[in-house]
C-alpha cells in the first residue's frame, strides 16, 4: 500500500508534470513574471468556470478577504459577523482593518454559520456577514442573502475551502459558492481544492463598480499609472502560479469528484456506527467538495482514536481545536460561553481523516478498518 498522507500533492503532480512544465516554461521564456498573459488567461478561465462577471487575482486568500472588505468601504468600528468555527484568517483581516469582529456560533449539521446566531448578533452597527463554506460544504447562501437584504448588510463569502461547490436554491437553480454574496474570496494555497505551488488567491464579484475598485486596491490604489486615488496594497498572483493554475483548473471538477468519491467510501463504511457522525453526502447537488472529510466522534475517546490512527501510520488532524472566541487575539468580554454551544462541542468531537485527490480504495479501506477497530 502506498504511504497514506493527509494531502498527497506529489502523486497529483506526477500525473500533470508535463502540462505544468510547459505552462511554467512559457512564463520563463517570455519573462512576463508579473501580471503576464498567464494571469489574464487564468482570470478569464476562472470567470467562465464560476459563472461570475469578475475575478480579481491576488496574492493569497487572506489578502483576498482583506481587499474585499476594503473594497466595500467598511470603516473602523463597523461590526462584521462571522463564524466562531473557522480558520483564523477570516477574523484576522476583520481585526486588522479595525473593524469589529462579531463571532457567532455555527450549526451542528453542516458546521457552517448559524442563521439564528447571525440574527441575534445584528445591531445598528452591523455592516457585513462573512459566511465560510467550511471544509468544502456550501453554507445556506439563500437564507443568508435574504437576511442580509432585510438588514441591508454586505455578504463576503470566504470560499477558500469550497471552490467548485454548488449552492442550490429552493427553486432548483445552482450557483457556484463564492459568487452569490456581494463579493467572494478564495485561496490557492497548495492544499486547497484548487492549489498552486506557492501562495495565490482571488476575489470574485458580479458588481462592475466594485470590481473596478478592487482592481485598483490590489495595485497600490492606482487606477491610472502613478495616480493613487485610494490607499491600496500590493497583492498579485505571480505569473508562474497562474501558469500552474491554468494547468490545473481544467481538472478541478475531476479533482472534486475524486474527493467526493473518497468521502462516499468513507461514509459507507461508517454508516450507522453509534460513535461516528459522518458528514452528510447529498445526491447530485455538489454542495460539498470535501476540502476536509471531518467526522464527529461522540461518546468515545476522540484523542485516543487519533493516536491509534497515527500509530498505524494514518495521519489525521483536528480542524479546529480551539474556538476563535477563546483565542487570545480574539477573546472579548462581550462573548459568553453559553452563546457558543455548538462550536464548544465540535472542538471536542471533530476529527479530519486524510482527504485528497489521490486516495485509493486500499488506503480508504485500511483507514476505515483502523477507525472501526478502535471504536469497536
Ligand atoms: C486557507 C484559508 C484562508 C486563507 O488563505 P491563504 O491563501 O492561506 O491566505 C482563509 N479562510 C479559510 C477558511 C481558509 O481555509
Amino acid at each position: 500500500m502506498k504511504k497514506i498522507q493527509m494531502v498527497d500533492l506529489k502523486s497529483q503532480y506526477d500525473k500533470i508534470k508535463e502540462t505544468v512544465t510547459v505552462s511554467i516554461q512559457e512564463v520563463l521564456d517570455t519573462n512576463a513574471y508579473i501580471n503576464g498573459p498567464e494571469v489574464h488567461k487564468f482570470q478569464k478561465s476562472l470567470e467562465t468556470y464560476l459563472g461570475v462577471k469578475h475575478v480579481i487575482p491576488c496574492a493569497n486568500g487572506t489578502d483576498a478577504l482583506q481587499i474585499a472588505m476594503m473594497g466595500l468601504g467598511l470603516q473602523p468600528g463597523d461590526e462584521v459577523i462571522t463564524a466562531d468555527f473557522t480558520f483564523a484568517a477570516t477574523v484576522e483581516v476583520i481585526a486588522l482593518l479595525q473593524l469589529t469582529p462579531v463571532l457567532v456560533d455555527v450549526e451542528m449539521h453542516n458546521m457552517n454559520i448559524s442563521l439564528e446566531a447571525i440574527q441575534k448578533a445584528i445591531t445598528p452597527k452591523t455592516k457585513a456577514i462573512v459566511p465560510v463554506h467550511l471544509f468544502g460544504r456550501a453554507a445556506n447562501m439563500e437564507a443568508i442573502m435574504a437576511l442580509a437584504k432585510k438588514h441591508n448588510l454586505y455578504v463576503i463569502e470566504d470560499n477558500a475551502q469550497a471552490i467548485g461547490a454548488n449552492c442550490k436554491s429552493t427553486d432548483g437553480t445552482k450557483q457556484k459558492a463564492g459568487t452569490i454574496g456581494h463579493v467572494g474570496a478564495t485561496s490557492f494555497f497548495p492544499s486547497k481544492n484548487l492549489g498552486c505551488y506557492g501562495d495565490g488567491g482571488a476575489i470574485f464579484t458580479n458588481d462592475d463598480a466594485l470590481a473596478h475598485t478592487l482592481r485598483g486596491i490590489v495595485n497600490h490604489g492606482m487606477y491610472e499609472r502613478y495616480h493613487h486615488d485610494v490607499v491600496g496594497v500590493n497583492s498579485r498572483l505571480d505569473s508562474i502560479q497562474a501558469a500552474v493554475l491554468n494547468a490545473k483548473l481544467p481538472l478541478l471538477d475531476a479533482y472534486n469528484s475524486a474527493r467526493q468519491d473518497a468521502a462516499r467510501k468513507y461514509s459507507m463504511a461508517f454508516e450507522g456506527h453509534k460513535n461516528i457522525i459522518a458528514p452528510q453526502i447529498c445526491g447530485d447537488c455538489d454542495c460539498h467538495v470535501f476540502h476536509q472529510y471531518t467526522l464527529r466522534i461522540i461518546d468515545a475517546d476522540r484523542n485516543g482514536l487519533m493516536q491509534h490512527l497515527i500509530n498505524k501510520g494514518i495521519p489525521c488532524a483536528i480542524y479546529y481545536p480551539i474556538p476563535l472566541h477563546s483565542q487570545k487575539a480574539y477573546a472579548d468580554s462581550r462573548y459568553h460561553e453559553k452563546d457558543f454551544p455548538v462550536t464548544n462541542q465540535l472542538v471536542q468531537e471533530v476529527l479530519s481523516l486524510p482527504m485528497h485527490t489521490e486516495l485509493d480504495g486500499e488506503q480508504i479501506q485500511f483507514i476505515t478498518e483502523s477507525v472501526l477497530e478502535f471504536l469497536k
Side-chain angles (χ1 to χ4, degrees):
M1 188 175 59
K2 206 165 62 174
K3 186 174 177 320
I4 298 172
Q5 289 180 270
M6 198 66 188
V7 179
D8 187 353
L9 293 174
K10 174 73 168 71
S11 302
Q12 190 193 61
Y13 170 65
D14 284 343
K15 294 179 184 165
I16 57 172
K17 211 168 192 160
E18 274 170 44
T19 42
V20 171
T21 305
V22 170
S23 202
I24 291 177
Q25 193 62 50
E26 177 76 19
V27 177
L28 300 177
D29 288 340
T30 55
N31 307 292
Y33 303 124
I34 301 290
N35 287 334
E38 290 286 338
V39 178
H40 188 70
K41 181 180 164 195
F42 175 64
Q43 176 200 319
K44 290 291 162 200
S45 309
L46 191 58
E47 285 168 356
T48 305
Y49 174 84
L50 293 170
V52 71
K53 261 175 112 174
H54 305 281
V55 164
I56 298 98
C58 65
N60 57 67
T62 309
D63 275 9
L65 284 165
Q66 177 181 329
I67 294 158
M69 288 174 202
M70 290 169 77
L72 292 172
L74 299 181
Q75 295 299 317
D78 287 350
E79 292 179 4
V80 179
I81 298 173
T82 193
D84 188 34
F85 191 58
T86 174
F87 180 57
T90 321
V91 65
E92 177 178 84
V93 297
I94 300 171
L96 261 178
L97 292 173
Q98 297 187 323
L99 311 174
T100 305
V102 178
L103 296 167
V104 301
D105 209 6
V106 295
E107 289 176 1
M108 194 58 95
H109 75 103
N110 61 10
M111 306 187 192
N112 281 326
I113 196 163
S114 153
L115 223 45
E116 201 187 316
I118 298 174
Q119 236 154 347
K120 269 206 239 162
I122 292 173
T123 75
K125 287 187 178 170
T126 308
K127 288 284 152 46
I129 306 169
V130 186
V132 183
H133 304 292
L134 197 72
F135 301 149
R137 164 123 191 203
N140 184 352
M141 287 306 295
E142 192 175 20
I144 291 169
M145 292 311 290
L147 186 63
K149 193 168 179 197
K150 186 171 149 199
H151 294 275
N152 198 23
L153 305 174
Y154 291 121
V155 175
I156 302 151
E157 290 175 76
D158 182 342
N159 195 36
Q161 302 189 0
I163 195 154
N166 278 314
C167 294
K168 197 173 177 180
S169 28
T170 38
D171 69 3
T173 54
K174 289 178 178 179
Q175 277 174 286
K176 292 287 183 204
T179 68
I180 300 159
H182 299 86
V183 58
T186 202
S187 162
F188 306 119
F189 185 81
S191 63
K192 301 282 156 103
N193 290 37
L194 178 61
C196 58
Y197 297 158
D199 277 308
I203 313 159
F204 321 135
T205 185
N206 285 305
D207 179 328
D208 297 340
L210 178 59
H212 174 76
T213 304
L214 294 168
R215 284 189 215 288
I217 293 173
V218 297
N219 188 26
H220 303 291
M222 270 197 293
Y223 296 89
E224 199 184 322
R225 202 162 170 78
Y226 299 122
H227 293 252
H228 304 273
D229 295 356
V230 295
V231 177
V233 295
N234 171 16
S235 187
R236 296 183 281 240
L237 179 68
D238 284 10
S239 296
I240 287 182
Q241 298 306 337
V244 173
L245 291 164
N246 280 327
K248 290 183 77 176
L249 180 58
L251 300 166
L252 177 58
D253 282 342
Y255 285 160
N256 282 340
S257 294
R259 289 173 179 272
Q260 288 165 337
D261 281 347
R264 221 170 278 125
K265 287 185 186 129
Y266 274 140
S267 288
M268 249 155 61
F270 297 140
E271 202 179 335
H273 195 286
K274 65 179 191 320
N275 301 120
I276 302 175
I277 297 182
Q280 202 185 340
I281 309 272
C282 33
D284 66 343
C285 76
D286 287 333
C287 68
H288 199 330
V289 292
F290 291 96
H291 176 60
Q292 299 294 345
Y293 182 84
T294 303
L295 298 173
R296 287 172 52 209
I297 304 299
I298 52 168
D299 302 324
D301 178 8
R302 188 261 323 250
N303 294 348
L305 169 60
M306 188 170 169
Q307 198 52 54
H308 170 76
L309 295 177
I310 290 168
N311 291 345
K312 298 195 76 166
I314 301 169
C316 51
I318 296 171
Y319 302 124
Y320 297 94
I322 303 167
L324 287 176
H325 80 268
S326 307
Q327 300 281 359
K328 231 190 228 173
Y330 305 112
D332 192 300
S333 58
R334 289 166 307 160
Y335 298 140
H336 302 286
E337 288 307 321
K338 68 168 175 45
D339 293 326
F340 303 97
V342 179
T343 306
N344 285 339
Q345 189 178 334
L346 285 175
V347 296
Q348 301 295 324
E349 294 178 344
V350 287
L351 183 64
S352 298
L353 297 181
M355 175 49 80
H356 52 80
T357 58
E358 312 301 314
L359 280 168
D360 64 36
E362 189 187 10
Q363 291 176 317
I364 292 174
Q365 192 180 345
F366 181 69
I367 297 165
T368 56
E369 282 173 3
S370 302
V371 170
L372 296 171
E373 176 184 76
F374 182 85
L375 295 175
K376 295 281 187 323

